[in-house]
């Protein structure tokens, strides 16, 4: 199909498709003349993927490019696969804010940081991952940010979030197919695209939980 | 304290503080001279809140402004409070993409949209919220986006996400204080700032769950 056909099939305007092509988010079509090319179902799939990652998952084009790189050259081991998925996760939310090192007493005193300790304790108690995993520092930053904003996250509340994470992760892992390319897509793209689903379900469930409280008032 | 003192206390540069003042994200200090003002602890708290919402929760300044509006003029009923929290959630991810109506056969045939049906069924089965709640349409969009990206979200997987959402929501509601201003902060800001915590925990739990699978290979 021509680029106009690709636009029709995907619902994405031609101008946006040309932008994807220029930015390397979409592979070139097969040239049929000096200024014309034809596109196939691989292009339809790629456009839909880029669209879902930017619109539903809310990723920046830079992060989408990283996701596509992982999909186009999938890691060989399950361990590397999770590493790639995490790398995308860490890239998603940007670099660690600079002022935190200062607030927590500088890099020479990490043990004095109560948020790093709390994150490390949680991870150790659940046997989730290594203490020096970048996700642990990320979690400490998120706990610190919530506290700085005046949110008191109790141990019981954090434990409920951890319990929910275990429930989701077990289903995530069960959903991963044995075949490598499919596994990469399911772990990286599947996690990114079900993150917003989980957050929407949380709001819905809050309504129900809150109604229960109101009835007993 | 002067603006330089506010910068020291919060770790946010003076230039950024002046930007917050211009944008109305931070209330003016008390003028002490034609070009000078002093700031107090209410300014420290507000700066930390804005910082947490932009950096940890990843919100745009437009959404942060909506959150601040809700905090500064809290809704009176619990129902309105949840409505305000949802409004912020919906604003967060932007408007519904336009092409979906087209793909699903237009607004005249909503019943033919399998994603809308699946979202409505889930919500009805859990007695979470009304079928015409904007969150239900949002969920349908997210399910459709995952499918368009080639992700097959099974009923078992979706049920696990729903189960996790109920676990989190019960703890969320239990954490809400009786006092009105505190309740608003906990529901709106607490939810936004623990969203990224939940997503980080999911990645950590995936590592553990995946290691379990690998051991039995």
């Amino acid at each position: 199909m021509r680029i106009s056909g690709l636009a029709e099939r995907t619902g994405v305007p031609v101008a946006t498709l040309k932008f994807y092509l220029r930015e390397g988010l979409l592979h070139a079509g097969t040239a049929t003349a000096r200024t014309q090319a034809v596109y196939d179902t691989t292009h339809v799939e790629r456009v839909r993927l880029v669209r879902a990652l930017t619109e539903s998952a809310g990723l920046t084009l830079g992060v989408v490019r990283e996701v596509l790189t992982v999909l186009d050259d999938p890691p060989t081991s399950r361990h590397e696969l999770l590493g790639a998925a995490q790398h995308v996760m860490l890239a998603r939310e940007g670099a660690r804010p600079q002022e935190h090192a200062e607030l927590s007493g500088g890099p020479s005193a990490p043990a004095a940081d109560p948020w790093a300790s709390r994150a490390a304790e949680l991870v150790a108690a659940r046997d989730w991952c290594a203490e020096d995993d970048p996700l642990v520092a990320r979690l400490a930053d998120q706990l610190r940010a919530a506290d700085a904003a005046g949110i008191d996250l109790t141990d019981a509340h954090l434990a409920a979030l951890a319990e929910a994470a275990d429930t989701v992760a077990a289903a995530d892992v069960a959903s991963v197919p044995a075949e490598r390319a499919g596994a990469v897509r399911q772990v990286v793209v599947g996690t990114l695209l079900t993150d917003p689903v989980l957050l929407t379900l949380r709001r819905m469930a809050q309504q129900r939980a809150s109604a229960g409280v109101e009835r007993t008032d």
Side-chain angles (χ1 to χ4, degrees), chain A:
Chain A
M1 75 198 88
R2 302 262 283 274
I3 198 165
S4 56
L6 185 59
E8 260 174 55
R9 279 282 294 279
T10 59
V12 174
V14 169
T16 305
L17 294 176
K18 288 185 174 172
F19 173 74
Y20 289 172
L21 286 165
R22 277 200 307 277
E23 291 289 318
L25 297 167
L26 179 64
H27 46 294
T30 307
T32 54
R34 204 162 58 86
T35 60
Q36 281 196 345
V38 292
Y39 301 88
D40 56 33
T41 53
T42 66
H43 295 90
V44 173
E45 280 173 21
R46 180 52 58 100
V47 170
R48 287 185 174 154
L49 174 61
V50 170
R51 200 65 167 183
L53 290 173
T54 52
E55 292 200 342
S56 184
L59 302 187
T60 63
L61 292 184
V63 178
V64 170
R65 198 173 285 115
E66 293 202 44
V67 172
L68 299 179
T69 303
V70 172
L71 293 183
D72 291 341
D73 184 15
T76 48
S77 75
R78 187 177 284 265
H79 183 75
E80 282 177 335
L81 174 60
L82 283 168
Q86 276 180 38
H87 177 72
V88 169
M89 164 75 183
L90 292 168
R92 180 184 185 176
E93 297 180 17
R96 276 184 86 176
Q98 289 309 307
E99 71 261 30
H100 290 161
E102 189 188 323
L103 287 176
S104 62
S108 60
D113 177 355
W115 309 110
S117 306
R118 198 172 181 197
E121 276 164 26
L122 179 70
V123 167
R126 300 240 161 203
D127 192 19
W128 269 346
C129 61
E131 259 194 52
D132 60 352
D133 192 291
L135 285 172
V136 182
R138 169 58 52 100
L139 175 61
D141 287 342
Q142 292 167 338
L143 295 175
R144 188 185 297 109
D147 179 71
I151 298 302
D152 179 27
L153 186 63
T154 62
D155 284 340
H157 203 166
L158 186 57
L161 293 172
E163 195 58 42
D166 266 332
T167 301
V168 171
D172 289 341
V173 169
S175 77
V176 174
E179 169 257 330
R180 188 162 66 105
V184 173
R185 177 177 280 262
Q186 186 68 30
V187 170
V188 179
V189 181
T191 300
L192 287 168
L193 288 178
T194 51
D195 279 344
V197 170
L198 180 59
L199 302 186
T200 299
L201 298 180
R202 179 186 189 182
R203 267 76 175 171
M204 292 174 162
Q206 280 180 348
Q207 290 196 34
R208 168 82 179 120
S210 170
V213 168
E214 209 141 37
R215 273 201 287 273
T216 62
D217 273 354

